Amino acid sequence: MLTLDSVRDAARQISGIAHVTPVLTSRTLDDLCEARVFLKAENFQRIGAFKFRGAYNVISRLGADELNRGVTAWSSGNHAQAVALSAAMAGSTATIVMPADAPESKVAATRGYGAEVQFYDRFTGDREAMGNTLAAERGLTIIPPYEHNGIMAGQGTAALELLEEIGQLDELRVPIGGGGLMAGSATAAKGLFPGIRMVGVEPEAGDDTRRSIAAGERVQIAVPDTIADGQGAEIPGELTFGVNRRLVDAVDLVTDDQIIEAMAFAFDRLKIVLEPSGATALASVMFREHRAPNQRIGVILSGGNVGLQRFRELMVPAKA
C-alpha cells in the first residue's frame, strides 16, 4: 500500500545517498506564468534524473542472495542508469534492456555504471517479456520502472522534499510516463495538503494516462512519436493508474514545439539543461490556458539527460 508514511520511509532510506535537489525560482518565469513558480530540479539528482530515488530505495533493501545474483530492468534511459548505479553501489550487477534507438548518451552512461545492456526494437519488440526471460534464465531480480510500491514511494520523495521546503502549494505539476513519479508525488502531496491540485503532464502524442482517466480504465495507445522519450509509455501501469485515477485532478498535454521552447527557456534564463521529458511540466505551466493570479505552483523538472549533439539539434527550431 502506497501511503505518505511509505514515502517518508523511502526518504529515510535514501537520506545521505540521494541528493536533496535544489528548488529554483525565477522572477522572469513568475511574470511569464502569472504565478509564483517553484521548480524542483531533479536534473541535479544522481544520474541526472529522479529515477535514482526509487531504484536505490528498492535495491538497497535487497537481501545478500538477491544482490549476488544481480538485477535486471527495462528502460529508455533514466531508470536504466538509476538501476545500474544503485546496483553498483550495493555491490551487485545489472543487466538492462534498452531500446535500440535510446539516446547514445544514456546508453553510454548506463554502461559506464557497469551494467550489461541488451537492446530491443521499440516498435516490434516486447521489453518486458525480454526482461522476464533474462530474469528467469539468470535468476535476476526485476526492478520495474514504476510498477512497484517501493519505486513509487522513492519517486515521491522529490515532491516530499519540495513541499517540506516550500510549504503549501495551490498546484503541483508532474510529468507522467508510466506514472510512478506522479503516483508517489500525489500520495505525498495529498497526504500533506489534501486540497492541493495535482496536474499530470504528458506529451501530446503520448496521452495514455489522460485517455485512461477519462475512460475510467487503462487505455493502450500506439508507441508515442515524441521527443520526450522518457514518457513513451503505451499504457499506464496497473499499480500507478490505481493511484493516479484517485489522486490526479487533471492531465495537461504539451506539444514537442512547446517542450523545445521550455528547454530553451530553461537554458537561456535559468541556466540549466533539461532533457525533453524533464521539461514537459515546465512547458505546461508556461503555456497553460487557465490562469489564476497569485497562485503558488510547484513543477518537477524530472531530468537533464540529453547529449550535447541532441540538445543542439533540438535548439535549432527554438533559435529559429
Side-chain angles (χ1 to χ4, degrees), residues 44-78:
F44 292 115
Q45 187 52 262
R46 295 186 92 142
I47 70 92
F50 75 94
K51 289 283 191 177
F52 179 77
R53 296 174 179 273
Y56 188 82
N57 183 48
V58 172
I59 292 173
S60 64
R61 298 175 192 263
L62 296 179
D65 185 53
E66 291 174 299
L67 292 174
N68 286 336
R69 292 197 308 269
V71 301
T72 188
W74 44 87
S75 165
S76 64
N78 288 338

Side-chain angles (χ1 to χ4, degrees), residues 16-315:
I17 305 297
H19 298 322
V20 177
T21 52
V23 177
L24 309 179
T25 59
S26 162
R27 184 174 299 177
T28 301
L29 181 62
D30 289 349
D31 291 343
L32 177 66
C33 299
E34 300 175 25
R36 287 282 286 128
V37 182
F38 302 90
L39 306 171
K40 182 63 168 170
E42 285 296 288
N43 52 308
F44 292 115
Q45 187 52 262
R46 295 186 92 142
I47 70 92
F50 75 94
K51 289 283 191 177
F52 179 77
R53 296 174 179 273
Y56 188 82
N57 183 48
V58 172
I59 292 173
S60 64
R61 298 175 192 263
L62 296 179
D65 185 53
E66 291 174 299
L67 292 174
N68 286 336
R69 292 197 308 269
V71 301
T72 188
W74 44 87
S75 165
S76 64
N78 288 338
H79 182 62
Q81 294 172 72
V83 170
L85 177 58
S86 297
M89 294 176 71
S92 187
T93 57
T95 303
I96 310 296
V97 177
M98 300 184 73
D101 61 349
E104 291 182 11
S105 60
K106 293 184 178 183
V107 175
T110 301
R111 285 174 167 156
Y113 292 127
E116 174 189 345
V117 175
Q118 295 208 9
F119 294 107
Y120 75 100
D121 188 311
R122 184 194 300 269
F123 297 96
T124 61
D126 185 333
R127 63 179 189 172
E128 188 169 342
M130 189 172 172
N132 286 329
T133 298
L134 281 169
E137 291 176 349
R138 303 185 185 184
L140 307 176
T141 296
I142 296 172
I143 310 298
Y146 42 83
E147 283 287 84
H148 190 294
N149 282 329
I151 295 290
M152 293 186 286
Q155 319 305 31
T157 61
L160 182 66
E161 286 177 8
L162 171 64
L163 293 166
E164 287 180 341
E165 178 176 345
I166 299 302
Q168 187 163 4
L169 296 170
D170 297 295
E171 186 175 280
L172 179 57
R173 291 179 172 253
V174 181
I176 297 181
L181 177 60
M182 173 54 95
S185 296
T187 298
K190 295 274 190 179
L192 291 171
F193 303 110
I196 192 171
R197 186 168 185 262
M198 296 300 302
V199 180
V201 182
E202 293 183 297
E204 190 174 60
D207 62 342
D208 56 302
T209 293
R210 186 178 191 181
R211 293 191 193 193
S212 297
I213 289 176
E217 62 183 6
R218 294 192 301 153
V219 173
Q220 185 164 2
I221 63 173
V223 176
D225 182 13
T226 173
I227 62 171
D229 61 280
Q231 292 177 266
E234 300 165 52
I235 186 171
E238 184 175 356
L239 292 179
T240 59
F241 182 65
V243 176
N244 292 334
R245 69 183 299 183
R246 292 187 292 105
L247 300 182
V248 173
D249 298 290
V251 178
D252 282 0
L253 305 181
V254 289
T255 67
D256 280 0
D257 286 344
Q258 289 172 336
I259 294 170
I260 290 170
E261 287 198 47
M263 291 174 65
F265 180 89
F267 182 79
D268 190 40
R269 304 309 296 263
L270 304 175
K271 310 307 177 188
I272 60 173
V273 173
L274 298 176
E275 64 185 287
S277 300
T280 55
L282 175 59
S284 77
V285 76
M286 289 171 60
F287 292 100
R288 77 193 197 283
E289 294 181 3
H290 304 292
R291 304 189 176 207
N294 304 316
Q295 274 194 323
R296 288 166 54 87
I297 301 175
V299 174
I300 295 186
L301 307 177
S302 58
N305 287 323
V306 58
L308 176 60
Q309 183 60 37
R310 179 58 173 158
F311 186 79
R312 290 177 63 185
E313 290 170 357
L314 291 170
M315 288 304 100

